[in-house]
Amino acid sequence: MKTLFTVFLSVLLTAGYAQSGTNGAWIYQPDAPTDTMAVLLIEDGYFSVTHFTPQAFIGTFGGATKVDNGKMISTFEFSSTDKGMVGNPNEVTFQHNGDDLSVTLPDQTTVLRWKRAPNSTPNGLTGTWRITGRVTEGKMSEMKPGPRKTFKMLTGGRFQWIAMNTETGEFFGTGGGTYTFENGKYTENIEFFSRDNNRVGKQVQFDAKVEDGKWHHSGKSTAGDPMYEIWSRIK
């Protein structure tokens, strides 16, 4: 597993596309058939790379990025397998051709290929969001910015939430899959869930609206508990 993640560190270069008009969801194209899926999400100068199978979550990592003269400079903010990555910089170059991404590793011989996910049309919830409020016992509680945070990325028809502490490097959990947003209804189809793989395959629906730049997210959690959350875009 460690080798797999070391190899995939280089895909961070594709996060540079976030500032080149190619935000979205990308699916890794392996040279040989495998049941392991790798998904790259890029939105609002933030990225995540996640590996999973239908039976198990394998791992995820990601962080913030910026582009400078054809190179992508990133800073890791979370890793489910190696907290020592958090806070470290990484600099790579990239190439792309339409809906295909080709990533050449530092050894200059290994090439990783990605293809844009089928549903790449932006919608009203497209973005990288941070939870900033939650209703508790009938009262809205504001969450002040700090190193412990939960992000949710929505792009290219796919979603992922990540709970992390960027100061200590702790990783608290993640989940993701595909989503739709239509007529005020936000629907998730769960494909991976680090805390409980029994939730994979479930579909959950919420009421959703964006007002004054805030995403109002309400309904029932995957555990069946009532919830009302406020999310704010990071950019």
Side-chain angles (χ1 to χ4, degrees):
M1 185 184 303
K2 184 174 181 180
T3 300
L4 176 65
F5 269 74
T6 299
V7 168
F8 272 89
L9 293 182
S10 65
V11 307
L12 300 179
L13 61 88
T14 53
Y17 298 156
Q19 299 177 19
S20 304
T22 51
N23 290 347
W26 303 84
I27 310 300
Y28 176 60
Q29 306 297 299
D31 293 330
T34 175
D35 65 349
T36 299
M37 188 170 184
V39 176
L40 166 66
L41 301 184
I42 305 166
E43 195 65 48
D44 288 344
Y46 209 81
F47 77 96
S48 71
V49 178
T50 305
H51 304 80
F52 60 96
T53 71
Q55 294 77 34
F57 166 77
I58 299 174
T60 188
F61 62 86
T65 68
K66 65 178 181 178
V67 175
D68 185 17
N69 294 324
K71 294 183 178 181
M72 193 282 294
I73 302 170
S74 63
T75 301
F76 295 104
E77 292 199 346
F78 65 90
S79 170
S80 64
T81 61
D82 183 5
K83 64 186 295 185
M85 289 171 54
V86 176
N88 290 334
N90 190 61
E91 181 177 315
V92 286
T93 58
F94 61 86
Q95 295 179 329
H96 82 286
N97 181 18
D99 288 343
D100 297 305
L101 307 181
S102 294
V103 180
T104 303
L105 300 186
D107 62 13
Q108 299 302 309
T109 59
T110 305
V111 178
L112 306 180
R113 295 180 174 83
W114 300 78
K115 186 171 289 292
R116 188 187 294 274
N119 182 5
S120 297
T121 304
N123 56 54
L125 290 181
T126 297
T128 297
W129 304 80
R130 177 174 181 167
I131 190 168
T132 54
R134 179 183 287 123
V135 172
T136 304
E137 296 181 351
K139 296 182 179 180
M140 177 62 70
S141 299
E142 182 178 353
M143 298 179 180
K144 296 182 179 180
R148 181 162 181 165
K149 51 194 174 185
T150 299
F151 280 4
K152 179 171 279 193
M153 302 184 70
L154 301 173
T155 187
R158 302 193 69 89
F159 80 95
Q160 182 181 0
W161 62 266
I162 313 108
M164 71 194 93
N165 188 316
T166 54
E167 187 174 273
T168 65
E170 292 174 282
F171 173 83
F172 302 111
T174 190
T178 63
Y179 84 95
T180 60
F181 177 49
E182 298 177 337
N183 302 318
K185 298 293 183 180
Y186 167 70
T187 305
E188 295 181 347
N189 298 286
I190 301 172
E191 294 184 348
F192 63 89
F193 201 96
S194 64
R195 298 171 179 169
D196 181 4
N197 203 62
N198 290 325
R199 299 188 187 184
V200 172
K202 290 186 177 181
Q203 182 181 89
V204 288
Q205 188 175 80
F206 306 90
D207 293 323
K209 61 181 179 180
V210 178
E211 292 183 346
D212 299 324
K214 307 289 185 181
W215 170 18
H216 294 251
H217 179 64
S218 60
K220 291 187 177 181
S221 69
T222 53
D225 301 320
M227 52 162 282
Y228 192 125
E229 300 171 339
I230 302 294
W231 297 73
S232 304
R233 285 187 73 171
I234 66 171
K235 183 178 180 180

